[in-house]
Amino acid sequence: MHIVFIGPPGVGKGTQANMLLEKHPMVKISTGDLLRESIRNQSSLGIKAKGFMEKGELVPDELVLGLVQEKISTPEAGKNTFIFDGFPRNIHQAKELDSILTSLRSKIDLVIDFTMDEEERIIRLTGRRMCPKCQRTYHTIFAKPKDDTLCDVCHILLVQRTDDNEQVIRQRSVVYWEHTKPLLNYYGERKVLANVDASRPIEKVFSEIEKLISSKKKK
Ligand code: AMP
């Protein structure tokens, strides 16, 4: 079974995916995380992707698709449950993902569309802080670290993502409406789409996601 998480920046897709991983044997494929890792490693892909990410633009498809292909084209792929977080981001990526999965005799079974008001998303994202070592995320109001500005686990100074400032967040939202929103029709036609109101408390959203997954499994 494979699941796609779709939604504008700041709806909590990554948080919910991480919560699923803690409870279920699943594999998360977050293209944002993979791209940030490439930047940290200063790989040629990371160097090419950095400028697009800092401006809130999509990284060119060929770079992103290469990363995803590498992650899922393994002999175990058919046995794994993948959660695609932030991928696909446009119709071309969705079609490419379908064709990779078809070649692995697999398919997308469930697409969850996360919705939340834009101003609330901006408050969530501008307060987000991240540990540069373990990548855990915190929030200056909603999920404060125990020691003010330090990671609870690594005890090092938390940082803010360079694309988590208001101007870039608004641009990421514009890109979402233009390129990613059309995917809702694409998956709606395939009868795999479900919607979740992500403005509710994290635990409530999580239990709804778990219910959606288990009802898909029963079908
Ligand atoms: P995220 O961590 O999902 O918010 O992604 C951060 C940034 O990485 C985005 O604003 C894009 O610049 C880039 N990115 C992540 N996933 C993709 C994708 N599937 N296609 C193109 N660019 C992506």
Side-chain angles (χ1 to χ4, degrees), residues 33-216:
D33 286 352
L34 293 171
L35 289 165
R36 281 183 288 278
E37 192 185 332
S38 304
I39 293 176
R40 280 195 301 279
N41 296 338
Q42 297 185 317
S43 71
S44 67
L45 190 153
I47 291 164
K48 285 183 200 147
K50 193 167 184 266
F52 294 97
M53 293 172 76
E54 283 174 350
K55 284 192 281 219
E57 301 294 343
L58 290 185
V59 171
D61 287 350
E62 64 272 18
L63 301 181
V64 174
L65 286 163
L67 278 176
V68 173
Q69 175 110 38
E70 197 182 305
K71 282 277 163 192
I72 64 178
S73 298
T74 61
E76 304 83 48
K79 291 178 222 138
N80 284 331
T81 293
F82 292 125
I83 312 172
F84 294 97
D85 164 17
F87 176 86
R89 285 283 230 277
N90 59 29
I91 298 280
H92 178 240
Q93 292 182 6
K95 288 185 174 165
E96 289 293 315
L97 176 61
D98 281 348
S99 81
I100 299 171
L101 291 175
T102 304
S103 71
L104 299 167
R105 296 204 183 91
S106 198
K107 64 180 172 45
I108 295 297
D109 304 282
L110 176 64
V111 175
I112 301 184
D113 165 36
F114 290 66
T115 47
M116 190 191 285
D117 172 76
E118 169 146 351
E119 295 313 310
E120 193 179 340
R121 291 191 289 104
I122 288 176
I123 292 171
R124 288 201 185 194
L125 285 182
T126 48
R128 179 162 71 177
R129 298 291 181 271
M130 187 180 249
C131 172
K133 192 168 171 209
C134 70
Q135 316 306 316
R136 270 185 186 75
T137 54
Y138 299 86
H139 193 279
T140 49
I141 303 164
F142 309 122
K144 288 183 180 179
K146 290 191 194 96
D147 198 346
D148 210 18
T149 53
L150 303 181
C151 174
D152 290 348
V153 180
C154 308
H155 306 288
I156 58 173
L157 198 62
L158 300 173
V159 294
Q160 186 170 24
R161 260 172 62 171
T162 49
D163 58 352
D164 274 350
N165 66 74
E166 187 168 339
Q167 193 190 347
V168 180
I169 295 166
R170 291 205 189 266
Q171 178 55 24
R172 287 157 64 199
S173 297
V174 168
V175 167
Y176 169 80
W177 294 109
E178 191 178 337
H179 297 280
T180 312
K181 193 107 199 313
L183 288 177
L184 301 183
N185 272 341
Y186 181 87
Y187 288 119
E189 283 165 6
R190 285 157 182 76
K191 310 269 181 269
V192 288
L193 187 63
N195 173 269
V196 164
D197 171 5
S199 61
R200 290 165 310 150
I202 287 179
E203 297 301 334
K204 283 234 162 61
V205 175
F206 184 65
S207 70
E208 193 176 331
I209 291 173
E210 282 192 309
K211 272 189 214 138
L212 285 170
I213 294 173
S214 62
S215 73
K216 269 284 167 185

